[in-house]
Amino acid sequence: MSAPTTAADLVDVERFAAQVLGRPLWPHQLAVARSLARYRCICAGRQVGKSALLAVLALHAAATRRNVLVLVVSAGEDAAKRLLADVAGLARERLAGSVLDDSRSVVTLSNGSTIRSVPASEKQIRGWAVDVLIVDEAGFVADDIWRAAEPAILARPGSRVIVCSSPWGGPDAWFRALWQQGMDRPDEHVESWHWPSSISPRVDVELLERIRQRTAPDVFAREYLAEWSDAAGAYFTEAELMAAVADYRMTAPEDLPQVRGVSYPVAAGVDWSAGVGRDSHVLTLVGRMAGTPDGAARLFVAHQEARSRQPIGDFIDRIVAVAGRYRVRVLSSERNGVGEFPTTELDHRLRRSGRQTRVFPVWTDARYKMSGFGRIKGLMHSGRLVLPLSPELLRELRALTREELPSGVARIAVPEAGGMHDDRALSLLQAVASV
């Protein structure tokens, strides 16, 4: 059993980060690392060093005490993998002789301590006795998942919880309520911090001001000021999105049971990357599930994957492979921008592979987006579209705004601001339109 945490242990984080890991902490990160509160809550904007701090805290807890279990939970599998990859990279580089295993889901040290990443599901979380519980993108973790995770710290003396997220969720959501408690009444039980993007010493303040000037106020408030807002001007309201979200894991093609005679029919949508910044190729699969009480079909997002800076040919190969696991009946592919060639080439390769997939080239102009997102909104209102707890997808849907053009057509898009994209949202639109 691990020893209780003391003030000396926590203060030592500064020296451990700087001298052992070579990652000196900034003042706002040190304030969290040194806190004696059992629950530490951070509401953060972009580029504030959140992931770096969580990696340092996880390694400090595991490397400085024996037989410690650090459990990392995140609503988004991509985010969880990135965080554990940061931990594994630091451990290999700076604690090389102490690392026994650094697989995709676990880092094991020679002192018996383990850092383990699990998806946000009750089945995966229950049963662990945890010394440090880290919940990343906590605003996107459902209340029932939090209720399953929190008891994991009960049996460990000195155990603690670190939760961090961008602002997401209504006033009654567990993360928002816990963060607000720590802001209003900080004590030895819970303490909270607010990290707008400007808190980082690396942020270009002049550039941040330019982003503010060309960004919708509600989007800038959420993404950069780390403030909850009523999303005035947003195309989808927070209430609409929250009502459509369900706690389920999307299923990667590799995880599908391959049973003779059993297929998994889906419709697909592809958004192609122009190769600029963090723009990504995105493939989304939408399937049918049990209907609503009136018998209408319900749709759900079966799988979504994004590949940044991947050659177009490699992503086409990936789509063909996915179509060999799922039964992709219809696929809508963006043909404007850079999409003309990959759409044609994808159709050729699917035909040569023998896949029974019909490819429909589409031009994603303002009218198409207005119609497609309007359909998604209608499906949400009727309870016929179920969305996963994917922070990446929900963040894009939440950032969509509507602007009336002189022509009478509404332009629906994510405002052009640093770090914001709509690749996942557009890929979802394509897939829903294919059904």
Side-chain angles (χ1 to χ4, degrees), residues 60-331:
H60 175 259
T64 58
R65 291 182 288 158
R66 299 180 61 83
N67 301 320
V68 161
L69 174 59
V70 179
L71 190 66
V72 179
V73 179
S74 179
E77 289 193 56
D78 289 346
K81 289 176 182 176
R82 284 195 300 268
L83 180 54
L84 199 70
D86 288 345
V87 171
L90 269 178
R92 284 194 303 269
E93 179 183 349
R94 311 294 298 201
L95 304 173
S98 302
V99 180
L100 298 181
D101 178 37
D102 59 346
S103 67
R104 291 176 58 188
S105 60
V106 64
V107 174
T108 302
L109 304 183
S110 59
N111 65 355
S113 294
T114 301
I115 303 168
R116 182 177 295 275
S117 173
V118 297
S121 73
E122 290 188 55
K123 181 179 179 181
Q124 296 284 342
I125 291 171
R126 290 187 184 277
W128 298 104
V130 177
D131 297 280
V132 179
L133 174 64
I134 295 175
V135 186
D136 191 20
E137 294 291 5
F140 297 89
V141 172
D143 288 11
D144 55 345
I145 298 298
W146 168 246
R147 288 193 293 269
E150 188 178 21
I153 68 168
L154 291 177
R156 294 283 197 174
S159 58
R160 56 197 186 275
V161 177
I162 303 159
V163 296
C164 189
S165 183
S166 53
W168 170 266
D172 297 328
W174 73 268
F175 170 70
R176 185 169 179 177
L178 186 63
W179 177 81
Q180 196 64 57
Q181 177 186 339
M183 292 294 292
D184 295 341
R185 302 179 301 280
D187 55 23
E188 72 281 356
H189 178 67
V190 58
E191 187 173 4
S192 297
W193 293 264
H194 174 233
W195 287 1
S197 296
S198 57
I199 202 170
S200 169
R202 289 185 179 174
V203 164
D204 184 329
V205 177
E206 182 179 345
L207 177 59
L208 188 62
E209 173 58 21
R210 291 181 181 178
I211 291 173
R212 184 194 64 77
Q213 292 174 5
R214 65 175 186 262
T215 306
D218 61 294
V219 175
F220 189 81
R222 287 193 304 264
E223 298 297 325
Y224 298 96
L225 301 182
E227 294 177 353
W228 273 271
S229 70
D230 294 330
Y235 184 75
F236 294 109
T237 67
E238 194 130 330
E240 286 174 332
L241 291 173
M242 294 290 283
V245 167
D247 177 29
Y248 72 94
R249 288 187 66 196
M250 293 183 287
T251 305
E254 294 77 14
D255 296 333
L256 286 173
Q258 297 299 297
V259 180
R260 184 182 295 275
V262 176
S263 65
Y264 305 93
V266 293
V270 182
D271 186 75
W272 300 101
S273 166
V276 178
R278 296 179 64 186
D279 197 22
S280 300
H281 307 303
V282 182
L283 170 68
T284 301
L285 308 181
V286 170
R288 293 176 181 264
M289 58 189 299
T292 58
D294 63 1
R298 299 178 75 196
L299 308 179
F300 74 103
V301 181
H303 176 63
Q304 184 175 78
E305 61 182 81
R307 302 294 173 93
S308 178
R309 299 187 180 91
Q310 184 176 58
I312 284 178
D314 291 350
F315 195 65
I316 291 174
D317 289 340
R318 173 60 180 166
I319 295 173
V320 173
V322 170
R325 306 284 289 187
Y326 276 97
R327 183 184 170 194
V328 181
R329 291 176 164 174
V330 181
L331 184 150

Side-chain angles (χ1 to χ4, degrees), residues 5-37 40 49 52-65 90 132 134 160 162 195:
T5 303
T6 66
D9 291 330
L10 294 172
V11 171
D12 193 56
V13 172
E14 180 176 8
R15 187 165 64 252
F16 179 83
Q19 298 179 7
V20 178
L21 299 182
R23 293 282 186 92
L25 296 177
W26 296 325
H28 65 282
Q29 296 171 319
L30 276 173
V32 178
R34 290 170 171 168
S35 173
L36 296 179
R40 286 172 270 177
L53 174 65
L54 296 182
V56 166
L57 293 179
L59 276 173
H60 175 259
T64 58
R65 291 182 288 158
L90 269 178
V132 179
I134 295 175
R160 56 197 186 275
I162 303 159
W195 287 1

